[in-house]
Amino acid sequence: MQTPTNYKILVVDDDPDIVELLHYNLTREGYEVAQAENGKKAIEVAHTFKPNVILMDVMMPVLDGIAACRHIREENEFRQTHIIFLTARAEEFSEVAAFDAGADDFITKPIKPRALLSRLASYARRDAQQEEQEKVIEAGGLRIDRTSYTVFKGEQKITLPKKEFELLAFLAATPNKVFSREELLNSVWGSDVYVIARTVDVHIRKVREKIGEDNIKTIKGVGYKFNTD
């Protein structure tokens, strides 16, 4: 089970005051912390540090957070890494852009340390719970392996970022049951993670692009289900 003493957080921000604030609060809580001042440096540090969570600003010099997130999500070794954006920009289009790039969460500044720590603890708990769940799901022509975070469609291996994988695995674990967007947000992202319902639509679209259109069905006005009919 993941605990703060073996849970790694990479803090990425060009504001030294924010980095210092986060470093102080995270280390005091027992997390192992590394830091980077821009997206380019974050990618370099991530390769050696192997973080469980990346807390990353959006607007940074050299390489911004959106571009860095896209680059990180292209690498298989970071499929299980949570990426949480920290930004002063709260417009919905910025939030959608962040999730489209592969982010798991979106926190607006000014940062409230206690709320952030609660959210991180929630991520650690869910990671621990997933370790104890059924390891392999076979449904709808897919083999979903929670241990290796891999999906196979026949002989084809499909790579999904962590949140896309978790969303697919959650739906496939109860095939043909319809879940509302709110239920999916609460179950996959957690009830204490404040993201918009549009987040589910973005992730469903990206999953469909990779596994095909047939497995996840939209129930108009209700939500989604994993289809085996």
Side-chain angles (χ1 to χ4, degrees):
M1 178 178 292
Q2 298 283 11
T3 64
T5 55
N6 62 18
Y7 213 65
K8 296 181 176 182
I9 313 292
L10 172 57
V11 176
V12 188
D13 202 303
D14 61 329
D15 185 333
D17 292 335
I18 290 178
V19 172
E20 182 179 356
L21 171 69
L22 292 174
H23 188 276
Y24 171 77
N25 282 278
L26 292 170
T27 54
R28 188 177 64 171
E29 197 71 12
Y31 294 105
E32 186 176 345
V33 182
Q35 59 195 59
E37 65 274 13
N38 58 61
K40 183 175 183 295
K41 185 67 175 178
I43 295 168
E44 297 172 2
V45 174
H47 280 109
T48 55
F49 185 61
K50 311 295 185 186
N52 298 98
V53 176
I54 300 175
L55 297 174
M56 185 155 54
D57 189 25
V58 174
M59 304 300 292
M60 294 183 292
V62 185
L63 188 68
D64 65 48
I66 298 290
C69 181
R70 288 199 179 99
H71 185 96
I72 289 168
R73 285 303 187 215
E74 290 173 355
E75 302 194 35
N76 288 339
E77 66 179 297
F78 299 122
R79 280 180 299 164
Q80 299 183 44
T81 301
H82 302 288
I83 298 179
I84 302 175
F85 276 121
L86 308 172
T87 181
R89 301 187 63 180
E91 307 96 325
E92 182 174 324
F93 78 86
S94 297
E95 189 167 346
V96 171
F99 288 123
D100 199 48
D104 298 295
D105 203 349
F106 188 99
I107 299 175
T108 56
K109 297 176 180 178
I111 298 165
K112 299 176 182 177
R114 289 182 63 184
L116 175 61
L117 290 173
S118 175
R119 196 170 300 192
L120 290 172
S122 177
Y123 275 106
R125 285 195 302 272
R126 288 202 300 277
D127 283 349
Q129 290 167 359
Q130 287 164 11
E131 290 177 2
E132 300 171 359
Q133 290 175 338
E134 180 183 359
K135 299 304 181 183
V136 178
I137 301 169
E138 296 192 25
L142 300 178
R143 177 180 172 85
I144 303 166
D145 189 332
R146 282 193 169 110
T147 303
S148 61
Y149 275 73
T150 54
V151 178
F152 285 89
K153 187 174 185 178
E155 297 298 319
Q156 178 190 5
K157 181 178 180 180
I158 302 169
T159 300
L160 299 176
K162 187 176 180 69
K163 269 294 174 284
E164 292 174 30
F165 180 90
E166 290 174 356
L167 180 58
L168 173 62
F170 179 81
L171 287 167
T174 316
N176 298 314
K177 178 178 179 179
V178 180
F179 293 93
S180 69
R181 290 173 176 81
E182 289 73 22
E183 288 175 312
L184 293 172
L185 283 173
N186 289 336
S187 299
V188 178
W189 279 265
S191 58
D192 56 347
V193 176
Y194 305 107
V195 294
I196 59 176
R198 167 74 171 141
T199 302
V200 174
D201 300 332
V202 171
H203 282 72
I204 290 288
R205 173 177 58 79
K206 293 171 78 69
V207 171
R208 281 172 169 162
E209 288 173 356
K210 295 165 185 172
I211 69 170
E213 298 289 329
D214 297 333
N215 290 107
I216 299 178
K217 184 176 181 180
T218 302
I219 308 301
K220 190 172 181 181
V222 182
Y224 298 100
K225 74 171 186 175
F226 187 89
N227 186 41
T228 59
D229 297 336

